[in-house]
Amino acid sequence: MKSAIIVSGILFAVVFCCIVFDDTYFSFSFDIDSKLASEFGDFVGGFIGTLFTFLSILIVSYSILQQTCENRKNNVKTTFFQMIDYHYKNLDQIEIPKPEKKDKIEKGKRGFVSYKIQINRLLQALYEINKKNDLNLNAHDIACISYLVFYYGLSDSWSDFFEEKIQCYDCRETIIKELLELSKNNPEKRLCQANHTILSAYFRNMYNAINLVDSENEFTDKEKEELIKTYRAQLSNPELYILFFNVISPFGKKWREKNFICKYKLLKNIPYNYLDGYNPKLYFDMTYEFDEINCSTDNDNFPNEPPHKLKSSNTFQTKKRKHKFGFSFFLGLFYK
């Protein structure tokens, strides 16, 4: 519509100039022909006026469409920020026992620390099972199976369901048997505890929020990036850890198909060597924060000042053990 208005305006201006400056109506003499002027006025009012009326209709239509688009964008933004609020509500619902400490409950974002510990133990367990039984699982297989156990959980009554989820692995019976045995022998570690109750809503809300912005054609690419960057800023490092294993597992198929991770750099802020040996660069080709932030001697020409001696009432002292040779010392020798 904007392009049509510009092109129409240029064409109308050209036509108007060609008519006005035509030899029929235009001359350099100042003698005004009243009859010709009247005919010119009728012509301009009937022909040129109609053209500009049409152009005015286009401009009004464009203004209405522009307002409609802005309203739609504002509605999408409102829904998006409501979904960020749902993100925090999902976090508030997290209450899980701290590993090996039944009397302590981790809540909110701290719950993801416990999630991280559980996945780390599952990765270690499956690595040992793979090595012990020569299962020929690669690192990605171990990550996928670990995350499926972490998400769905595993127990004797749940083994048939879980076996169906990993039916693509011929060694699935061995994996289930070994994991159940480890879980029974180490109940305090809660190795096979299920976590899908909270995480299912957590990740669906996250995916739908990102997809809502990504699929809105009224936003420019820059506007989409800025909005989703706002969401990304809410994610803590343990959340990024769980997100990584979620998107490389079968649950992340839609994420990978739409290229959300690289397109919006969702894992950009994950720390270096934080993923228990897994390198995010091998999975998602993007620039990470640990590539941009490193220990460098370049201080941007900051002044080279000596260390400052701070005035403070607090002093740090190292307690030294002193031997006091007093009455108690000799009394001790006497009793010996």
Side-chain angles (χ1 to χ4, degrees):
M1 179 65 77
K2 188 176 181 180
S3 301
I5 292 172
I6 293 172
V7 172
S8 299
I10 293 172
L11 288 175
F12 293 165
V14 171
V15 171
F16 177 76
C17 291
C18 290
I19 292 173
V20 171
F21 294 102
D22 187 79
D23 294 338
T24 305
Y25 300 109
F26 183 79
S27 67
F28 288 100
S29 65
F30 290 96
D31 296 330
I32 299 175
D33 187 336
S34 59
K35 182 180 178 182
L36 185 61
S38 177
E39 292 176 355
F40 176 74
D42 292 338
F43 178 77
V44 170
F47 181 73
I48 301 298
T50 303
L51 294 180
F52 279 100
T53 300
F54 177 71
L55 181 61
S56 299
I57 293 172
L58 286 179
I59 293 174
V60 171
S61 300
Y62 173 74
S63 299
I64 294 173
L65 286 174
Q66 189 75 2
Q67 186 63 40
T68 302
C69 291
E70 286 299 322
N71 290 338
R72 179 175 177 81
K73 289 168 68 173
N74 289 333
N75 290 336
V76 171
K77 286 181 180 179
T78 300
T79 303
F80 176 74
F81 286 112
Q82 285 177 347
M83 297 180 86
I84 292 182
D85 289 337
Y86 295 152
H87 171 87
Y88 280 101
K89 289 178 181 178
N90 287 329
L91 284 177
D92 290 339
Q93 294 177 8
I94 295 178
E95 291 186 6
I96 58 175
K98 189 173 182 179
E100 300 176 0
K101 292 184 179 180
K102 295 181 179 180
D103 57 333
K104 188 170 183 180
I105 301 297
E106 298 283 23
K107 298 181 179 180
K109 286 182 179 289
R110 287 291 306 173
F112 277 84
V113 176
S114 296
Y115 289 155
K116 183 180 184 299
I117 293 172
Q118 184 181 351
I119 289 183
N120 173 268
R121 288 174 174 173
L122 283 166
L123 292 171
Q124 292 178 354
L126 279 165
Y127 177 82
E128 295 297 332
I129 292 170
N130 181 49
K131 184 178 179 181
K132 173 185 173 183
N133 298 279
D134 294 323
L135 302 181
N136 295 319
L137 297 173
N138 60 36
H140 183 246
D141 293 333
I142 291 174
C144 288
I145 297 171
S146 296
Y147 189 81
L148 287 170
V149 175
F150 163 78
Y151 186 82
Y152 287 119
L154 183 60
S155 63
D156 290 326
S157 60
W158 199 242
S159 59
D160 291 339
F161 171 85
F162 188 76
E163 185 175 350
E164 182 182 350
K165 295 300 177 183
I166 59 170
Q167 60 181 333
C168 58
Y169 298 101
D170 295 333
C171 56
R172 55 186 177 275
E173 292 182 359
T174 302
I175 293 172
I176 292 173
K177 178 183 175 182
E178 293 279 356
L179 282 175
L180 285 174
E181 185 177 350
L182 283 174
S183 180
K184 290 176 182 177
N185 293 336
N186 303 274
E188 74 285 353
K189 296 185 181 297
R190 290 187 286 279
L191 190 66
C192 298
Q193 175 179 288
N195 299 289
H196 59 87
T197 304
I198 297 296
L199 291 180
S200 57
Y202 175 88
F203 281 116
R204 285 168 190 157
N205 180 71
M206 183 185 294
Y207 174 84
N208 288 331
I210 295 171
N211 189 56
L212 174 71
V213 174
D214 181 73
S215 59
E216 182 51 63
N217 295 326
E218 301 301 334
F219 289 129
T220 63
D221 290 342
K222 184 67 176 176
E223 287 175 323
K224 292 179 181 179
E225 290 175 5
E226 288 299 320
L227 281 172
I228 296 177
K229 183 179 179 181
T230 302
Y231 201 136
R232 188 185 74 201
Q234 315 307 313
L235 304 178
S236 63
N237 288 340
E239 287 177 89
L240 293 176
Y241 179 97
I242 305 301
L243 176 62
F244 171 79
F245 286 102
N246 178 274
V247 295
I248 69 171
S249 74
F251 294 104
K253 185 176 181 180
K254 288 184 177 180
W255 295 77
R256 299 193 300 270
E257 287 176 349
K258 294 200 173 185
N259 198 31
F260 283 164
I261 300 298
C262 294
K263 188 175 181 180
Y264 299 113
K265 301 178 181 178
L266 295 178
L267 296 174
K268 173 183 173 65
N269 304 114
I270 203 160
Y272 178 72
N273 203 23
Y274 189 72
L275 299 172
D276 293 325
Y278 287 83
N279 186 354
K281 289 185 175 182
L282 299 179
Y283 292 85
F284 305 105
D285 185 17
M286 53 183 278
T287 302
Y288 294 85
E289 190 176 60
F290 57 72
D291 292 324
E292 301 172 346
I293 301 175
N294 52 56
C295 184
S296 174
T297 57
D298 182 12
N299 293 322
D300 296 324
N301 297 319
F302 291 153
N304 185 16
E305 298 179 275
H308 297 280
K309 185 177 181 180
L310 303 178
K311 294 181 179 180
S312 175
S313 59
N314 297 321
T315 57
F316 302 93
Q317 297 179 352
T318 303
K319 291 185 178 180
K320 294 183 179 180
R321 199 170 187 178
K322 297 181 180 180
H323 297 282
K324 296 182 179 180
F325 296 91
F327 176 75
S328 58
F329 175 76
F330 290 106
L331 185 61
L333 290 177
F334 175 76
Y335 278 110
K336 285 184 179 180

